[in-house]
């Protein structure tokens, strides 16, 4: 009864409070950080807000404007409220909000759940002041809050990625509840950096978006790193809950025009927010503006189904990937990603990704390709992401079928490799995994069946949660490599992305391995590559 009463009271009370708005599509807008670091100012914000309008980007949906770190005064006022730094923002926060709203834009606020703000040792954080700050942000007319994770555990350590406290949802939940208590709608963007376990599980409950990686870096290699880390978050992505791959580096003079299209495509199909980080003035390259303005790519990102694309096939030595995302109205987006910095021609059998026939539009070329089936030959230029919008999709007449599942628990392990029993319900589908596959280890599967000789599609069930935080600034890639040798032939290498949100959540990577012979006597050996560990292996399934 008590519970019933409180539910009734809550329902009655709800019209008085607003709540975190579950905006159905990923946020789009502009943020100051990538171009101005923690040094925004009123003039900078106004320049770029006006840039959104003069470039036409506002009309395409980029409406949120966020001054990132560095906007504050060092002291709170007598009522303990945060204040704007009047040297940098002479008109103050409320006036800035009015100005942005007057332009038809939305006002994004930024703070963090720590003792200080990121990028400073003296600007006050929101930790312990959540209710006051949420109220102040609402009074200024804020429409969203990006909430960062610096100084989470001490006054003098800016980045703590390892402690339980730094990884905990508690500080983010406190701010979410404080925003919910305001009589103003907010979007809540969690910037916890994807540290710890199961971040998408809790963050998607309380935030519109969650940063699933360390910061983007102004170089091509961070595209590879973040793409490998976003893979498993499709489980949490849904309308109102999106994985944040960080602000775009399009227009920042770090990538070629082709690479900018690749980066933008990858963010769009994975349903990341599309937050521009470039200066929207005369220095913005025309090609970058054109990329940011592609309406087909924007509508793929904003599609009402809100399904993150899946990495459905990878060719590591050949350096290309196949990504496939479901869209509304029974459409799909097919992304063919050339990680090689050279042009190459690749072949893809649509049947191997579950498609019989489909009509296709090459999105970036803006041309119809007519009806496609079976084997496509795709010419890719260096670092190109080809995006094909598929409609009228039919299933293959003769689909690939499983001809057997081979658990690691039934394989011969050598060297450091050990078989480990996982907590109940994990390490799908067997509950066991081969772990510690180091330099001298191998896992040998015998008696593998094949109906015919040649290349087979293998669905490898693996576990990798070796995520990059400090190595993110360098060459951390969120991958572990595995070599696969069939019947004593030449071994081949694959880079496995993250599989899940902990060391027990299985992911599946589909690869093609050659050298099988018809019959039931095939032998497949998995090994680590060089001196770095392989992903843990649960088993694999063969498809023909
Ligand atoms: C305001 O910003 C300026 C420029 O960054 C800085 O020098 C000054 O210390 C800040 N003042 C306060 C009170 O935060
Ligand atoms: C910062 O806040 C203090 C205390 O409220 C105030 O005296 C000072 O003028 C402010 N300085 C700036 C730059 O905003
Ligand atoms: C941080 O500093 C404040 C005041 O300067 C102090 O009250 C608090 O205990 C400090 N916290 C930590 C974790 O050092
Ligand atoms: C890709 O190749 C071009 C031309 O050879 C070169 O200028 C560029 O630095 C390369 N990019 C990367 C990320 O290595
Ligand atoms: C398509 O490619 C596969 C190999 O990927 C090959 O076995 C098959 O014969 C090809 N089919 C056609 C119709 O070319
Ligand atoms: C899809 O198929 C339907 C009939 O099956 C047809 O009317 C329609 O024109 C097709 N759409 C495209 C884009 O080809
Ligand atoms: C396990 O391996 C043996 C041969 O080593 C094979 O006979 C048996 O069918 C395998 N069982 C499974 C479940 O794969
Ligand atoms: C494992 O979990 C299932 C449900 O997920 C439950 O029915 C079963 O009792 C659990 N087994 C153990 C040993 O905890
Ligand atoms: C695996 O290979 C990829 C490139 O194919 C590379 O970027 C990555 O660093 C490798 N991973 C490890 C852990 O060595
Ligand atoms: C691993 O191998 C690389 C080169 O292949 C070498 O530079 C590095 O020192 C090795 N690391 C260890 C721990 O042996
Ligand atoms: C998981 C991870 O990358 N942890 C790093 C957190 O930061 C400390 C200090 O910078 C590193 O030593 C850890 O490796």
């Amino acid at each position: 009864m008590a519970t019933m009463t409180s539910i009734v009271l809550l329902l009655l009370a709800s019209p008085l409070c607003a709540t975190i708005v579950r905006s159905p599509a990923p946020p789009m807008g502009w943020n100051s950080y990538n171009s101005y670091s923690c040094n925004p100012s009123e003039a900078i914000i106004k320049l770029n807000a006006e840039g959104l309008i003069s470039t036409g980007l506002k009309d395409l949906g980029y409406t949120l404007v966020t001054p990132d770190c560095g906007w504050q005064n060092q002291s709170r006022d007598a009522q303990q409220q945060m204040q704007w730094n009047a040297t940098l923002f002479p008109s103050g926060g409320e006036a800035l909000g009015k100005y942005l709203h007057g332009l038809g834009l939305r006002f994004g606020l930024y703070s963090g759940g720590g003792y200080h703000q990121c990028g400073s040792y003296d600007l006050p954080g929101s930790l312990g002041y959540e209710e006051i700050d949420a109220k102040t942000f609402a009074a200024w007319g804020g429409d969203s809050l990006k909430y960062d994770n610096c100084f989470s555990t001490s006054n003098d350590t800016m980045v703590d990625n390892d402690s339980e406290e730094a990884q905990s949802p508690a500080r983010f939940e406190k701010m979410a509840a404080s925003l919910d208590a305001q009589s103003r709608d907010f979007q809540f963007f969690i910037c916890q950096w994807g540290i710890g376990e199961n971040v998408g599980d809790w963050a998607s409950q309380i935030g519109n978006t969650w940063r699933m990686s360390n910061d983007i870096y102004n170089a091509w290699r961070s595209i590879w790193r973040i793409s490998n880390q976003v893979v498993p978050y499709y489980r949490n992505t849904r309308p109102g809950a999106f994985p944040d791959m960080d602000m775009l580096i399009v227009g920042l003079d770090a990538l070629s025009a082709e690479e900018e299209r690749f980066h933008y495509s990858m963010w769009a199909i994975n349903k990341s927010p599309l937050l521009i980080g470039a200066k929207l003035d005369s220095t913005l390259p025309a090609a970058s503006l054109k990329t940011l303005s592609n309406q087909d790519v924007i509508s793929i990102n904003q599609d009402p189904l809100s399904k993150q694309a899946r990495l459905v096939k990878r060719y590591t030595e050949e350096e290309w990937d196949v990504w496939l995302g479901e869209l509304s109205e029974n459409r799909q987006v097919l992304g063919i990603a050339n990680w090689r910095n050279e042009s190459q021609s690749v072949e893809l059998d649509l049947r191997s990704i579950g498609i019989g026939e489909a009509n296709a539009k090459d999105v970036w070329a803006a041309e119809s390709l007519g009806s496609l089936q079976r084997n496509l030959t795709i010419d890719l230029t260096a670092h190109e992401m080809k995006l094909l919008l598929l409609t009228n999709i039919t299933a293959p007449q003769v689909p690939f079928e499983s001809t057997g599942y081979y658990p690691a628990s039934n394989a011969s392990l050598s060297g450091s490799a050990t078989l480990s029993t996982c907590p109940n319900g994990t390490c799908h589908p067997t509950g066991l995994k081969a772990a510690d596959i180091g330099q001298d280890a191998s896992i040998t599967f015998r008696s593998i069946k094949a109906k015919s000789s040649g290349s087979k599609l293998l669905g490898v069930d693996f576990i990798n949660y070796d995520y990059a935080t400090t190595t993110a600034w360098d060459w951390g890639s969120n991958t572990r490599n595995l070599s696969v040798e069939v019947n004593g032939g030449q071994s081949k290498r694959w880079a496995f992305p993250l599989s899940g949100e902990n060391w027990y959540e299985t992911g599946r990577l589909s690869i093609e391995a050659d050298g099988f012979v018809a019959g039931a006597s095939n032998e497949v050996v998995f090994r680590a590559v060089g001196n770095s560990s392989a992903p843990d292996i649960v088993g694999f399934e063969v498809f023909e």
Side-chain angles (χ1 to χ4, degrees), residues 119-188:
S120 82
Y121 283 85
D122 56 7
L123 300 183
S126 288
L127 184 63
Y129 295 85
E130 291 84 355
E131 286 163 14
I132 296 174
D133 290 353
K135 197 171 166 205
T136 311
F137 298 156
W140 289 335
D143 297 303
S144 66
L145 177 66
K146 172 178 173 183
Y147 205 52
D148 221 324
N149 202 18
C150 294
F151 298 100
S152 57
T153 47
S154 87
N155 280 342
D156 48 24
T157 302
M158 192 182 306
V159 175
D160 171 353
N161 56 53
D162 276 341
S163 77
E164 207 179 312
E165 183 56 27
Q167 299 177 351
S168 162
R171 287 167 296 108
F172 294 90
E173 287 166 349
K174 179 85 207 274
M175 183 49 95
S178 304
L179 291 174
D180 266 345
Q182 305 310 312
S183 53
R184 181 168 180 87
D185 289 340
F186 264 91
Q187 291 186 306
F188 187 40

Side-chain angles (χ1 to χ4, degrees), residues 30-36 48 55 57 62 216-220 223 247-264 275-293 364:
W30 183 88
N31 174 298
S32 58
Y33 187 75
N34 285 356
S35 283
Y36 304 95
N48 287 284
T55 52
L57 289 166
Y62 298 92
I216 196 168
Y217 183 84
N218 207 17
W220 170 251
I223 309 300
M247 277 88 71
L248 297 162
I249 58 170
V250 173
L252 289 177
D253 204 23
L255 307 177
S256 69
E258 195 60 62
E259 289 168 341
E260 290 193 342
R261 286 190 286 275
F262 184 119
H263 162 41
Y264 190 72
L275 299 172
I276 300 168
K279 291 183 191 175
L280 299 178
D281 59 13
S282 58
T283 62
L284 181 70
S288 302
L289 177 58
K290 199 170 168 207
T291 294
L292 296 167
S293 306
W364 288 112

Side-chain angles (χ1 to χ4, degrees), residues 258 261 265 294 296-297 300 333-334 336 359-370 372 378-380 384-390:
E258 195 60 62
R261 286 190 286 275
S265 301
N294 188 298
D296 280 334
V297 186
I300 288 167
V333 58
L334 176 59
I336 299 148
N359 286 336
K361 175 179 179 182
D362 181 331
V363 170
W364 288 112
E367 66 184 24
S368 165
L369 302 180
L372 304 181
I378 304 145
D379 294 323
L380 298 164
E384 175 179 4
M385 166 83 103
K386 182 85 78 188
L387 282 187
L388 302 184
L389 185 59
L390 306 180

Side-chain angles (χ1 to χ4, degrees), residues 73 75 83-87:
N73 187 314
S75 15
Q83 311 183 85
W84 290 72
N85 179 321
T87 310

Side-chain angles (χ1 to χ4, degrees), residues 407-415 417-419 434 437 441-446 523-526:
S409 51
N410 198 35
S412 309
L413 273 50
S414 81
T418 51
L419 194 63
I437 308 169
S442 65
I443 309 184
T444 303
F445 297 85
R446 298 197 176 86
E523 183 177 289
V524 175
V525 186
F526 287 179

Side-chain angles (χ1 to χ4, degrees), residues 359-476:
N359 286 336
K361 175 179 179 182
D362 181 331
V363 170
W364 288 112
E367 66 184 24
S368 165
L369 302 180
S371 175
L372 304 181
Q373 54 183 308
R374 286 305 304 256
N375 296 359
L376 312 181
T377 301
I378 304 145
D379 294 323
L380 298 164
T381 189
H383 288 167
E384 175 179 4
M385 166 83 103
K386 182 85 78 188
L387 282 187
L388 302 184
L389 185 59
L390 306 180
T391 53
N392 281 18
I393 302 163
T394 60
Q397 276 169 355
V398 186
F400 270 77
E401 277 178 353
S402 170
T403 55
Y405 191 86
Y406 302 94
S409 51
N410 198 35
S412 309
L413 273 50
S414 81
S416 57
T418 51
L419 194 63
S420 116
T421 305
C422 304
N424 190 18
T426 67
C427 297
H428 179 80
T430 67
L432 295 160
K433 62 174 182 174
D436 303 315
I437 308 169
Q439 191 161 11
D440 302 316
S442 65
I443 309 184
T444 303
F445 297 85
R446 298 197 176 86
S447 309
I448 309 298
K449 283 178 287 185
K451 286 195 225 162
S452 62
S453 297
S455 172
K456 304 294 156 210
L457 191 63
L458 308 188
V460 180
D461 288 335
F462 71 102
I463 299 182
N464 174 27
Y465 197 56
D466 193 358
Y467 64 89
T469 50
T470 46
T471 56
W473 303 104
D474 271 302
W475 297 94

Side-chain angles (χ1 to χ4, degrees), residues 439 530-532:
Q439 191 161 11
N531 56 16
S532 53

